[in-house]
Amino acid sequence: MKFFLDTANYKALAEAKETGLLDGVTTNPTHLSKEGGNVSELIKKIASLLSPCDVSVEITEKDPCAIYTQAHEIAALAPNIVVKVPCFPEYLPLINKLVHEGVPLNITLLFSAVQGLCMAKLQVKYISPFIGRLEDIDSDGIELIHDLRQIVDIYAYETQILAASLRSTLHVHEVALAGAHCATIPVNIFQKMLDHPLTTKGMSLFDHDWQTLGIKKFP
Ligand code: G3P
């Protein structure tokens, strides 16, 4: 399973890279708004840090013609950029066109299995179902991942399911079992993934017992 970090924070990405667990990053306008500065330069810096891993960057235009131009401009920032486009009916022709032109796409704000089916049929690289936001409205985000994985497997689509809007380590566990190819994880969750109180307690107990031997150097 691929792990992406759901952030645009360079320092957090540099630290996460050192863990060896990181396969890419997903940014969005909210994340970028928290960083400020020269956004294009920040994206180039992140893309270079993580190369050749994928860096998702979302379009900010609304009109399909403007999005088409902007998508190409965003893709040209670095070779490992994936352009994020919302799963919106008016954008279908432009999504289709961009796929045929070889622009790697991550379809974001995706909330249903049929939306995912349509996007996989168009051969986009990633679809991003938003788990937490579905749960916010009492819908089952994990079941959606199960359904999407079945659809992708039955029809042998190459589209990868990138579980997004994850709010807990339990979400990471659940989307892994449900068959998501990738999970994009917020920084605070990524940092907690290896935490377990029994690991900490066990280490402390072993250390205490070892100290009773009074050995200065071992071996
Ligand atoms: O990857 C999408 C994510 O950033 C949205 O998360 O918690 O705002 O629903 P959230």
Side-chain angles (χ1 to χ4, degrees):
M1 184 186 207
K2 289 186 196 164
F3 287 159
F4 295 171
L5 212 58
D6 199 13
T7 186
N9 186 272
Y10 185 87
K11 188 168 169 280
L13 285 163
E15 283 171 12
K17 185 184 171 186
E18 294 301 309
T19 65
L21 289 174
L22 195 63
D23 299 297
V25 56
T26 57
T27 69
N28 62 34
T30 304
H31 295 326
L32 289 166
S33 73
K34 291 179 189 154
E35 304 304 319
N38 184 325
V39 172
S40 300
E41 286 311 311
L42 174 61
I43 289 166
K44 284 195 224 171
K45 220 173 121 188
I46 290 173
S48 160
L49 172 76
L50 298 184
S51 175
C53 295
D54 282 347
V55 175
S56 283
V57 179
E58 192 153 341
I59 54 98
T60 55
E61 295 287 349
K62 287 171 205 71
D63 168 71
C65 289
I67 294 175
Y68 174 76
T69 307
Q70 190 189 31
H72 275 287
E73 287 167 354
I74 291 173
L77 288 174
N80 49 333
I81 298 283
V82 174
V83 180
K84 272 174 104 173
V85 180
C87 187
F88 191 57
E90 247 187 84
Y91 299 164
L92 269 173
L94 95 95
I95 290 170
N96 184 34
K97 197 167 170 195
L98 288 168
V99 169
H100 280 92
E101 289 170 355
V103 179
L105 297 184
N106 173 357
I107 302 302
T108 188
L109 292 168
L110 188 137
F111 295 98
S112 82
V114 174
Q115 284 182 319
L117 168 62
C118 294
M119 291 303 142
K121 187 173 162 67
L122 290 185
Q123 297 179 303
V124 303
K125 184 163 187 181
Y126 300 107
I127 48 176
S128 289
F130 273 36
I131 305 311
R133 291 194 194 183
L134 274 169
E135 292 182 356
D136 289 344
I137 58 160
D138 293 333
S139 293
D140 193 337
I142 304 303
E143 190 184 8
L144 174 60
I145 300 286
H146 273 289
D147 291 353
L148 287 170
R149 184 60 199 246
Q150 273 207 55
I151 288 168
V152 165
D153 288 351
I154 289 169
Y155 296 102
Y157 290 133
E158 284 180 17
T159 297
Q160 296 175 53
I161 301 159
L162 199 174
S165 182
L166 304 181
R167 311 261 177 84
S168 61
T169 51
L170 180 61
H171 271 160
V172 178
H173 174 157
E174 289 175 324
V175 300
L177 283 179
H181 302 90
C182 331
T184 186
I185 305 168
V187 176
N188 61 325
I189 308 296
F190 188 84
Q191 287 165 344
K192 280 200 296 202
M193 289 208 302
L194 283 188
D195 283 356
H196 197 287
L198 291 180
T199 305
T200 319
K201 191 176 166 193
M203 285 171 67
S204 165
L205 184 62
F206 284 148
D207 186 51
H208 172 269
D209 292 347
W210 179 253
Q211 295 308 326
T212 61
L213 284 175
I215 296 173
K216 291 240 171 352
K217 188 178 177 310
F218 173 78

